[in-house]
Each structure stands twice: as structure tokens, then as C-alpha cells.
Amino acid sequence: MPRPRMQLSISESPDLAPLGLTEAHVRAALLDIARLLLRRGYDLVYGGDLRRYGYTEDLAALVRRQQEFPQDKEARLIWPVVPGANASADEAQHFVMAWYGEVTLEPVPPPASGLDKAALLTHLRQHMAETTAGLVAIGGQTSGFSGPRPGVVEEISLQAAAKRAVYLIPSFGGATAAAAAALGVNLPEYLTPSLRLDPMGTLPAHLQSFAEQAAQTPEPAGLVALLAGALKG
């Protein structure tokens, strides 16, 4: 029987400094959560790019270490690839060869031709939403993103539309905390410093549309917002 798959959604948060945190804290939390998912029998799904010292390499290294434990020897990092979005075909093959046994390359069926990078990323994210049991989200940019909304918010939205379990870790601020606020989660004000830029207290347009979509979801209970540490047990 194939192992269930859980998507990880993470990118840099603009709120770390105001929260007294650093990128090292985010990486530590990501790896702790990923390790827990592996120990509970999940394969990890992450569609990140191949920047040097990036999250993709961190997750591959974690899987390699976890495979030393008998209960985790079949663990894998599933890496869906859309050329032009997160890697070229050659880059993907070289990366998988470097991490042979830990990383499973999953070529995504090609989309329509002529799409820009933002549309290709949406195609990639749609594939992940359709092929996983749910998503764990951490951080995420709230400005300067390509496309109509932040990538982390789009991944949360696609998973919610697919009726998957969505686990939000808002403790690092960023798009994940913003998405939780848009869903009506009562967060401490200090977790959403980037949202306080609006003097009227209204949500940015991309979050307002996300909130309206979430409100129309037939089973809103499928959207489960959890604070850091909520994946225990």
C-alpha cells in the first residue's frame, strides 16, 4: 500500500524580525514537522525550487537521515516538477541523481503552452492539491509575489477547494498568519505585523477574495487552523 502524502508549503516570512525570530527558527520548525510526518508514515511533497541551501535540499537531507531508522526506511520526498516553474528538466534530473533513493521526481502532466511562470506555478500547485492528503503551511511572503496572490495562500486555497486537511502554523507570521486571520482565526495581534499596514484595518484584496472563497466552502470544518506544536501525538 502506498504511503499517504502530505504537502509542505513554506517560503520566507517578512515578519520574522518584528517577532524576534530568524530564518533558522523557521527551518528548525519545518524540519521538526517534516520529521514528525515521516515518523507517522507520510511521504513529504514539496514543489520548491533549487536555490542553494534552500528548503528542497534541507528536506532531502532530512529524508536521508530518517531512512536510517527501520520504521522510516521507505520514506521519500516527492518532488513534483513543472519545467519553467520550479526547475528545468535537466536540473531536476541532476538533483534527483544527487539524492537518489531519497527524492522521487514526479513530472507533472504538461499544461497548456504559452503560460507565464505564475500560471505554471498555479498548475504545479493544483497538481499537489489533487495528489496529497493535505497541507502544512508556514510563513510566506505577503508582498512582491508573482500572480494574483501569495504562493502559500494559493496553495492553502487549492487544498481547501479540494476538501483536504489544511494545517496553518501562524507563529512565524507572513502569508500563513494572514490566511489564518482571513479565515477568522483569533490570532494575537503581534503575529500579523505585515497586515497592520492598512490603517483601515481591512484585508488586502488577495486575502479578502480568499476569505470570501473560504466562507463559501461547503465544509469549512475541513479548514483546520493550528498553532505551532498542534501536530503532536
Side-chain angles (χ1 to χ4, degrees), residues 96-232:
V96 171
M97 288 175 64
W99 294 97
Y100 181 76
E102 294 84 31
V103 179
T104 299
L105 176 64
E106 186 168 84
V108 178
S113 61
L115 298 181
D116 61 15
K117 183 173 182 178
L120 290 172
L121 283 169
T122 296
H123 181 74
L124 169 66
R125 291 163 181 153
Q126 182 67 56
H127 171 82
M128 290 190 287
E130 292 172 353
T131 58
T132 56
L135 169 146
V136 178
I138 307 173
Q141 293 288 349
T142 54
S143 63
F145 44 87
S146 60
R149 52 188 169 181
V152 169
V153 172
E154 181 171 60
E155 292 181 0
I156 294 169
S157 180
L158 289 170
Q159 287 278 359
K163 310 284 177 48
R164 306 291 196 242
V166 176
Y167 301 94
L168 307 183
I169 312 298
S171 305
F172 301 96
T176 300
L183 291 172
V185 178
N186 186 21
L187 295 176
E189 189 174 282
Y190 69 82
L191 282 180
T192 55
S194 58
L195 291 184
R196 296 205 300 274
L197 298 177
D198 186 341
M200 301 300 293
T202 57
L203 290 168
H206 62 270
L207 288 175
Q208 187 62 46
S209 63
F210 169 67
E212 291 169 359
Q213 175 192 345
Q216 296 171 3
T217 302
E219 299 180 18
L223 297 167
V224 184
L226 301 176
L227 295 176
L231 288 175
K232 294 178 181 177

Side-chain angles (χ1 to χ4, degrees), residues 82-100:
V82 173
N86 56 340
S88 70
D90 286 343
E91 288 173 330
Q93 290 295 343
H94 286 313
F95 179 75
V96 171
M97 288 175 64
W99 294 97
Y100 181 76

Side-chain angles (χ1 to χ4, degrees), residues 13-114:
S13 169
D15 297 332
L16 295 181
L19 293 173
L21 300 170
T22 68
E23 179 64 17
H25 293 103
V26 177
R27 288 176 184 268
L30 169 66
L31 295 179
D32 281 345
I33 291 168
R35 187 179 298 107
L36 174 61
L37 289 169
L38 292 171
R39 298 301 293 271
R40 297 194 67 175
Y42 286 90
D43 280 336
L44 308 177
V45 177
Y46 181 64
D49 59 28
L50 290 180
R51 71 188 72 182
R52 194 176 183 189
Y53 308 126
Y55 298 126
T56 311
E57 284 191 359
D58 284 351
L59 291 170
L62 172 66
V63 171
R64 175 171 289 179
R65 292 193 298 272
Q66 289 303 115
Q67 287 180 343
E68 297 175 1
F69 297 93
Q71 66 268 36
D72 297 335
K73 64 180 180 179
E74 302 300 325
R76 294 288 183 274
L77 170 63
I78 310 297
W79 188 44
V81 171
V82 173
N86 56 340
S88 70
D90 286 343
E91 288 173 330
Q93 290 295 343
H94 286 313
F95 179 75
V96 171
M97 288 175 64
W99 294 97
Y100 181 76
E102 294 84 31
V103 179
T104 299
L105 176 64
E106 186 168 84
V108 178
S113 61

